[in-house]
Amino acid sequence: GAGVSQSPSNKVTEKGKDVELRCDPISGHTALYWYRQSLGQGLEFLIYFQGNSAPDKSGLPSDRFSAERTGGSVSTLTIQRTQQEDSAVYLCASSLVGRPAPGNTIYFGEGSWLTVV
Amino acid sequence: AQTVTQSQPEMSVQEAETVTLSCTYDTSESNYYLFWYKQPPSRQMILVIRQEAYKQQNATENRFSVNFQKAAKSFSLKISDSQLGDTAMYFCAFMRGSNYKLTFGKGTLLTVNP
């Protein structure tokens, strides 16, 4: 696609429910990232996928968070048993490769705004 | 661990004037990259400008330029001829040369007034 696409744009869920957030990266981009943007913590790295390599999950805040990337393209971030502190904007990004290089820009989507009530 | 500090939570500027946003960072790395991202109300993070630490020349992109002071670990963004569309949150970010994770500052909310 022309840009990184995320859905849903906004999601309100009840505490304790599971939610799935979807990211469709730019076609041909091998690297995919999830970041979380919250008022208290700012922007935090969550997880990174690069091709068929094992993902870097070091930023996931708890075992309630998981993510997968199917076929090297679309990614889904799942939050189980949501808590109020999970309320945030979840940003997905993609790039041609997963390292700094001339012309290798990280492109972000518009994010999914999650509110847990 | 790397840290990025933006000391100005909010700034405002009149249209057509020049404004400078501050950013300092702390790292022991010698190979790294610095970025300024813009986030308008649409929430999409847009890359404004990037600087490779090994380059002495300051990066420029049209009305946007940086003042990169490596020894002082300072990376400020200058916006010339400010436009109403420049109103946004601006984030300074750091990336190690061998890595792919961005470390962001807390952001500066810039408002351009007509």
Side-chain angles (χ1 to χ4, degrees), chain B residues 31-47:
Chain B
N31 180 25
Y32 54 88
Y33 296 77
L34 296 162
F35 307 85
W36 278 98
Y37 277 90
K38 167 185 176 181
Q39 187 179 41
S42 68
R43 297 199 306 248
Q44 185 175 22
M45 299 281 280
I46 302 165
L47 178 66

Side-chain angles (χ1 to χ4, degrees), chain A residues 6-10 89-92 108-113, chain B residues 42-44:
Chain A
Q6 292 189 246
S7 60
S9 180
N10 294 283
V89 176
Y90 290 83
L91 291 165
C92 179
F108 284 81
E110 294 188 354
S112 292
W113 194 334
Chain B
S42 68
R43 297 199 306 248
Q44 185 175 22

Side-chain angles (χ1 to χ4, degrees), chain A residues 8-75:
Chain A
S9 180
N10 294 283
K11 174 76 175 179
V12 179
T13 190
E14 291 182 353
K15 178 181 172 181
K17 300 281 190 182
D18 297 352
V19 295
E20 285 189 351
L21 307 177
R22 176 189 167 102
C23 173
D24 199 347
I26 293 173
S27 178
H29 281 193
T30 64
L32 186 146
Y33 320 75
W34 283 97
Y35 284 82
R36 179 169 71 173
Q37 185 175 21
S38 58
L39 280 175
Q41 301 298 321
L43 279 148
E44 307 170 278
F45 166 83
L46 295 178
I47 190 168
Y48 161 78
F49 295 91
Q50 170 61 61
N52 295 320
S53 302
D56 177 353
K57 305 179 182 180
S58 61
L60 294 179
S62 77
D63 58 9
R64 296 186 295 104
F65 288 73
S66 63
E68 63 177 18
R69 187 179 185 191
T70 54
S73 181
V74 172
S75 176

Side-chain angles (χ1 to χ4, degrees), chain B:
Chain B
Q2 285 70 231
T3 59
V4 178
T5 302
Q6 294 180 250
S7 58
Q8 306 149 315
E10 295 187 37
M11 293 191 72
S12 63
V13 64
Q14 294 298 121
E15 197 175 5
E17 293 187 346
T18 296
V19 63
T20 299
L21 309 183
S22 301
C23 172
T24 58
Y25 59 95
D26 188 21
T27 184
S28 57
E29 302 282 332
S30 58
N31 180 25
Y32 54 88
Y33 296 77
L34 296 162
F35 307 85
W36 278 98
Y37 277 90
K38 167 185 176 181
Q39 187 179 41
S42 68
R43 297 199 306 248
Q44 185 175 22
M45 299 281 280
I46 302 165
L47 178 66
V48 174
I49 199 165
R50 63 182 273 167
Q51 174 80 43
E52 290 84 350
Y54 61 84
K55 288 188 177 179
Q56 292 185 338
Q57 186 173 8
N58 290 326
T60 62
E61 285 288 342
N62 301 314
R63 298 183 295 108
F64 299 88
S65 61
V66 297
N67 184 4
F68 174 46
Q69 300 291 326
K70 191 171 182 178
K73 294 181 182 175
S74 171
F75 183 61
S76 60
L77 174 69
K78 185 172 83 170
I79 306 174
S80 304
D81 185 25
S82 297
Q83 301 177 359
L84 297 178
D86 295 335
T87 293
M89 279 290 283
Y90 286 80
F91 291 94
C92 180
F94 173 99
M95 180 185 285
R96 289 164 54 193
S98 58
N99 206 293
Y100 40 76
K101 297 179 189 177
L102 285 164
T103 299
F104 288 90
K106 295 291 188 186
T108 296
L109 177 61
L110 176 67
T111 302
V112 179
N113 299 308

